[in-house]
Amino acid sequence: MEKKDIKIVNINKSFDGVPVLKDINLEIKQGEFFTIIGPSGCGKTTLLRMIAGFISPDSGAIYLGDQDIIELPPNLRNVNTIFQKYALFPHLNVYENVAFSLRIKKIDEATIDKEVKKYLKLVGLEEHSKKMPNQLSGGQQQRVSIARALINKPGVLLLDEPLSALDAKLRQNLLIELDLIHDEVGITFIFITHDQQEALSISDRIAVMNKGEILQVGTPAEVYEAPANPFVADFLGENNFFSGEVIEIIDEELAKISIKGLGEITIEQDREVKIGDRVNISLRPEKIRLSKKKLKNKKNTVNSFEVYVDEYIYSGFQSKYYVHLKDNENLKFKIFLQHAAFFDDNDSGAIWWDEEAYISWDAYDSYLVEVIPDEKK
Ligand SMILES: Nc1ncnc2c1ncn2[C@@H]1O[C@H](COP(=O)(O)OP(=O)(O)OP(=O)(O)O)[C@@H](O)[C@H]1O
Ligand SMILES: [Mg+2]
């Protein structure tokens, strides 16, 4: 069978002379759970609507398998869309909402019944088939939308922030269900979200967009651990950013940089650098160790500094520490610690505000996010 990968090639689109999509290139594999994430207004919905066929590009092509689908109307694209707002028919009950497209196709009653029941079961709504949309919770309505889209057996399901109207707990649950449904039906899902946690936890791959451009495509671990630039690092998670100058190339993997006000630290060369280069480093708050005593660490890759704790915020599953370098008030770090009972001499559970402590991190835990080009120096 032909592989129905989606291939988006050099897509451009402007509205009223303002470019909204700039030379977009993407390949989405058949069966993938692919997420597009980016700030409001960056062009996510425009791109999705273009795949669905509701907007045509100014230039470029979109392939589904070997077929260029740009000229095809939405109903011939084998693609279904689920929107943020549940667009259910208010005068039809759950069963009839799901059955609707099959009735239009004049499918026989027995098949319709079998299919509707199958998809209502898939989304966990068998018990609610007689209810009208206004008798359902938001999450239930969204499940009806999912069943109604899947019953058409689309090759691709487009989901434009389908969970954003729901509360946090329900979002979590529905997200897990979406993942299970995706595994079960095995079709391509293209999912749009603002929410980095949603994106990181559910996707096979993620595209990070900003201002009409795709900045990076990768697995959740790739975009989180090796962000292409400071924007991606910042959009997906929290960072301590530092800029410094390369002062020594230790070996193929490691280098030393000097950071004004902090001193020398050892970093991994995630990008090729040479002495004199200015670089930006990201250090994720959860990768820093906080301890009362200086760590007895024999590895020469560990960076360690004495700090003063300005603030300690308990936030349930983790604690956040805001500290500054003991010798320099202007150099601040944020550190996130998970709670656990550590019974070693590095016990960090007992560190409070207005205390002195040590921060440590391994050179391999920072990330060289950018070599600053000359004009920015
Ligand atoms: N039909 C239109 N006419 C003019 N401008 C439009 C039109 N549709 C979208 N835009 C503009 O294109 C840009 C991208 O919009 P789009 O809806 O794709 O963003 P988005 O990434 O989905 O944002 P959000 O996360 O808020 O949904 C915005 O600046 C928007 O105002
Ligand atoms: Mg949108």
Side-chain angles (χ1 to χ4, degrees):
M1 208 172 71
E2 182 207 351
K3 271 280 189 194
K4 296 272 188 171
D5 293 350
I6 293 173
K7 207 163 162 189
I8 296 170
V9 187
N10 302 122
I11 287 284
N12 284 282
K13 179 73 182 177
S14 295
F15 286 117
D16 310 320
V18 181
V20 168
L21 295 177
K22 302 173 197 165
D23 201 27
I24 301 284
N25 286 281
L26 266 185
E27 282 193 51
I28 300 167
K29 298 191 194 81
Q30 182 178 339
E32 220 176 359
F33 199 123
F34 191 91
T35 297
I36 301 171
I37 189 168
S40 185
C42 73
K44 304 180 296 294
T45 296
T46 305
L47 182 58
L48 207 72
R49 289 173 63 80
M50 210 170 265
I51 298 170
F54 299 115
I55 299 178
S56 41
D58 299 337
S59 62
I62 300 179
Y63 295 91
L64 183 59
D66 294 331
Q67 188 185 17
D68 184 349
I69 59 172
I70 285 288
E71 300 297 331
L72 284 184
N75 60 326
L76 295 182
R77 289 194 181 194
N78 195 22
V79 163
N80 259 265
T81 311
I82 293 174
F83 301 97
Q84 178 173 354
K85 297 210 188 69
Y86 347 106
L88 301 179
F89 301 115
H91 59 287
L92 297 179
N93 69 20
V94 168
Y95 185 100
E96 289 303 325
N97 260 283
V98 177
F100 186 79
S101 60
L102 300 189
R103 292 211 188 284
I104 295 216
K105 290 181 197 152
K106 304 252 186 300
I107 306 234
D108 69 276
E109 197 59 41
T111 310
I112 290 182
D113 192 56
K114 194 171 122 255
E115 288 292 293
V116 171
K117 285 182 175 150
K118 173 176 151 195
Y119 284 97
L120 283 178
K121 182 155 184 267
L122 184 71
V123 298
L125 283 180
E126 309 111 295
E127 320 261 285
H128 300 274
S129 64
K130 295 273 172 356
K131 285 192 176 163
M132 302 302 284
N134 66 7
Q135 298 173 307
L136 299 174
S137 72
Q140 289 167 338
Q141 291 183 49
Q142 204 52 302
R143 283 173 220 220
V144 179
S145 307
I146 295 168
R148 203 177 56 170
L150 289 175
I151 205 165
N152 293 317
K153 301 205 166 56
V156 181
L157 189 63
L158 306 175
L159 303 112
D160 193 352
E161 309 213 28
L163 310 179
S164 60
L166 308 173
D167 69 57
K169 195 80 193 170
L170 197 56
R171 273 164 82 141
Q172 267 299 322
N173 292 341
L174 214 53
L175 194 66
I176 294 165
E177 276 176 46
L178 260 187
D179 198 15
L180 294 172
I181 291 170
H182 174 256
D183 290 347
E184 178 107 9
V185 296
I187 63 171
T188 313
F189 277 31
I190 305 181
F191 180 78
I192 286 184
T193 181
H194 279 99
D195 186 301
Q196 43 138 332
Q197 278 311 324
E198 252 173 50
L200 291 170
S201 58
I202 202 171
S203 319
D204 292 319
R205 287 190 307 149
I206 299 172
V208 185
M209 275 185 84
N210 190 33
K211 295 184 180 161
E213 289 179 284
I214 301 218
L215 302 182
Q216 186 172 10
V217 180
T219 64
E222 281 165 358
V223 292
Y224 188 80
E225 302 290 340
N229 56 42
F231 178 89
V232 176
D234 197 33
F235 200 75
L236 295 170
E238 306 237 17
N239 303 267
N240 294 285
F241 283 119
F242 296 102
S243 53
E245 187 179 329
V246 178
I247 53 167
E248 185 188 337
I249 306 292
I250 298 173
D251 57 28
E252 272 175 16
E253 289 189 344
L254 298 170
K256 260 204 171 88
I257 66 169
S258 163
I259 294 171
K260 208 169 154 224
L262 181 68
E264 294 179 8
I265 64 166
T266 305
I267 61 162
E268 185 184 7
Q269 290 186 55
D270 302 292
R271 288 157 209 271
E272 202 180 316
V273 290
K274 56 185 188 311
I275 289 176
D277 280 348
R278 285 200 65 75
V279 294
N280 273 328
I281 301 296
S282 152
L283 181 56
R284 299 284 193 191
E286 73 278 11
K287 299 202 170 175
I288 304 177
R289 186 79 182 259
L290 188 68
S291 57
K292 276 201 153 165
K293 297 181 199 155
K294 200 171 166 77
L295 286 184
K296 289 191 213 91
N297 202 315
K298 293 188 184 69
K299 282 163 77 183
N300 60 1
T301 52
V302 172
N303 301 292
S304 190
F305 294 94
E306 197 168 6
V307 295
Y308 185 86
V309 179
D310 293 316
E311 208 169 344
Y312 160 76
I313 296 174
Y314 174 83
S315 63
F317 74 105
Q318 63 181 10
S319 284
K320 301 182 177 186
Y321 287 86
Y322 296 84
V323 309
H324 70 256
L325 197 68
K326 200 179 155 207
D327 302 329
N328 184 347
E329 253 179 71
N330 297 322
L331 251 164
K332 298 177 194 297
F333 293 81
K334 53 189 166 193
I335 302 147
F336 300 165
L337 300 181
Q338 305 296 319
H339 294 293
F342 291 112
F343 293 105
D344 63 339
D345 62 353
N346 301 320
D347 181 7
S348 54
I351 296 171
W352 302 95
W353 54 86
D354 288 341
E355 281 192 3
E356 288 172 6
Y358 287 88
I359 55 169
S360 316
W361 72 92
D362 193 279
Y364 291 96
D365 274 337
S366 63
Y367 186 72
L368 201 174
V369 73
E370 186 182 33
V371 180
I372 303 169
D374 280 336
E375 68 267 24
K376 274 214 228 166
K377 279 183 194 172

